[in-house]
Amino acid sequence: MFGWQPFNMNSFNLGNGIFHIPMELPWSSPGFVNVYLLEDKNGFVMIDCGVDGEEYYQLLIEHLDSFKINIKDINLLIGTHMHSDHIGLSTRIREQGVKFALYKNSTDFITHYNDWKIRFRELIILAEKQGAPKSFLQDLNEIETPIYAGKVTKPDLLLDEGAITEVDRKLFTVFTPGHDITEISLHDASSGIIFSGDHILPKITPFIPTTNEDDDMLGRYGDSLDKVLNISHSIIAPGHGGLITSPYERIEQMKIHHKKRSERILEILALSKKSGWEILEELFPRNLDQLNLRLAFQETMAHILYLKNNKKINFNVVNSVQVWEKLS
Ligand SMILES: [Zn+2]
């Protein structure tokens, strides 16, 4: 039987040939990324791997040792999405002969992953159009690629929606963009577990990292939640935190969270027209540090672009800044 209680941060055998490893991260919140190993008759499939660094590679080897698994027993590493805490270590693992898989659109984002100057180029343009202060634009300009991202090259295997035929168990790719444009969830049909990466998390609502004004990432995210809702499953094994044992309830909670935030923006705009930056200041009145301010801006823009796409708001350009108004 499975141990359904939320696990503490120890390695864990989930049954059904599934093992869990909490990989330490170089920051405290979240302090771990969940690595999962799924056994098939040829060896193991690994889902996500943690950040890059020799010390993190050694930690992974120690965790594998505790299950008496050798790195050479792993045939395939699948990254749920292109964030450093999920795939940073992938290049070191590939050097051991392990094949690496990502969703097929990942090839369009390898340079964005490896070079944060490219990654944030569009966001700087977006922030300028929303009336962001000079200091914010300056901070975006100075962002460096973190060392624990490592360097990623084209994966050995590009996954498409549906069964992963390279694995000898019923494992399915479900494309679930929103938190990341390349994000997938993995449905293991025999255990009824969905490995959700950061698409669905137990405590926090995943951040929607909008960079492109033509892409309604929050709309995509909502569609991806519905996609998971429509797959029969009993448990969600997320990329961070404990198992989600009431997955349908959790998905509904996350939808409500986003709905409330969009409604709040409509209330703000019902009183007066505002730029994207002014909306952010109403939504997040506290002083935020540099990182949290960027996250708040991207989250605010995700909602603004979602409301625009749903014809609830639109903008006029005043002094080169987009000023948003509620449509009646
Ligand atoms: Zn993550």
Side-chain angles (χ1 to χ4, degrees):
M1 264 314 279
F2 295 92
W4 289 146
Q5 70 280 17
F7 41 65
N8 55 17
M9 282 304 156
N10 291 316
S11 298
F12 207 92
N13 181 345
L14 295 175
N16 264 37
I18 303 171
F19 302 86
H20 159 254
I21 290 172
M23 266 300 284
E24 293 78 357
L25 292 173
W27 44 78
S28 58
S29 139
F32 297 87
V33 63
N34 293 324
V35 171
Y36 299 98
L37 291 146
L38 280 61
E39 196 166 14
D40 73 358
K41 71 168 189 277
N42 305 311
F44 291 90
V45 178
M46 187 168 158
I47 301 174
D48 290 336
C49 60
V51 297
D52 188 42
E54 182 55 30
E55 66 276 39
Y56 291 99
Y57 181 72
Q58 290 308 329
L59 277 170
L60 176 68
I61 297 298
E62 282 170 31
H63 283 299
L64 290 173
D65 275 351
S66 70
F67 291 123
K68 304 208 176 347
I69 298 173
N70 189 293
I71 190 92
K72 307 272 184 206
D73 300 332
I74 299 166
N75 296 315
L76 183 65
L77 165 64
I78 303 176
T80 56
H81 61 294
M82 295 179 83
H83 286 173
S84 62
D85 50 336
H86 298 261
I87 63 164
L89 200 55
S90 62
T91 301
R92 269 175 222 267
I93 296 172
R94 290 172 87 178
E95 284 165 6
Q96 303 302 315
V98 179
K99 285 205 175 110
F100 178 47
L102 287 170
Y103 191 65
K104 61 182 178 184
N105 68 353
S106 60
T107 49
D108 295 340
F109 300 97
I110 288 172
T111 50
H112 293 68
Y113 180 90
N114 288 331
D115 184 350
W116 283 29
K117 292 272 175 266
I118 296 171
R119 187 184 187 118
F120 289 111
R121 203 182 273 159
E122 272 180 339
L123 187 64
I124 294 171
I125 298 166
L126 184 64
E128 268 179 322
K129 287 187 184 172
Q130 299 307 319
K134 287 239 157 27
S135 58
F136 182 75
L137 302 173
Q138 181 83 24
D139 286 345
L140 285 180
N141 252 312
E142 286 169 6
I143 289 181
E144 301 277 346
T145 313
I147 44 158
Y148 20 78
K151 285 278 178 269
V152 167
T153 54
K154 188 176 179 251
D156 307 290
L157 181 63
L158 294 172
L159 299 172
D160 211 335
E161 198 87 41
I164 305 176
T165 52
E166 287 75 6
V167 179
D168 191 33
R169 59 190 286 156
K170 288 181 190 148
L171 190 64
F172 297 87
T173 302
V174 186
F175 181 45
T176 49
H179 169 68
D180 183 50
I181 192 81
T182 67
E183 180 118 34
I184 53 169
S185 300
L186 294 157
H187 178 216
D188 183 55
S190 51
S191 64
I193 295 180
I194 291 181
F195 298 91
S196 63
D198 287 355
H199 175 48
I200 297 163
L201 293 171
K203 293 218 165 64
I204 47 167
T205 305
F207 162 61
I208 309 297
T210 302
T211 57
N212 178 341
E213 68 177 308
D214 299 318
D215 197 350
D216 173 13
M217 282 286 270
L218 184 59
R220 284 174 182 258
Y221 182 68
D223 294 344
S224 297
L225 287 178
D226 287 338
K227 208 166 173 181
V228 172
L229 267 180
N230 286 326
I231 298 169
S232 160
H233 64 281
S234 48
I235 293 283
I236 287 177
H240 304 277
L243 295 176
I244 299 169
T245 51
S246 318
Y248 295 92
E249 229 169 79
R250 179 64 193 134
I251 293 169
E252 288 303 335
Q253 277 172 3
M254 300 200 321
K255 286 184 156 189
I256 291 167
H257 166 92
H258 281 302
K259 192 161 172 275
K260 280 191 180 153
R261 183 155 282 168
S262 282
E263 281 167 1
R264 177 82 188 101
I265 293 178
L266 291 178
E267 283 168 23
I268 291 168
L269 291 179
L271 299 175
S272 66
K273 300 177 188 181
K274 286 195 185 317
S275 71
W277 193 263
E278 288 168 333
I279 295 170
L280 174 153
E281 288 177 327
E282 293 264 339
L283 282 179
F284 301 94
R286 287 180 304 139
N287 265 339
L288 299 174
D289 64 21
Q290 190 182 326
L291 171 66
N292 282 300
L293 192 57
R294 171 167 67 78
L295 302 186
F297 176 68
Q298 289 185 282
E299 182 79 16
T300 303
M301 287 317 299
H303 282 272
I304 289 173
L305 298 173
Y306 172 78
L307 289 168
K308 173 177 174 262
N309 205 21
N310 286 281
K311 306 202 169 16
K312 304 277 190 204
I313 65 175
N314 209 348
F315 68 86
N316 286 304
V317 176
V318 181
N319 299 327
S320 358
V321 170
Q322 294 181 355
V323 176
W324 297 90
E325 66 178 320
K326 189 170 180 273
L327 299 175
S328 41

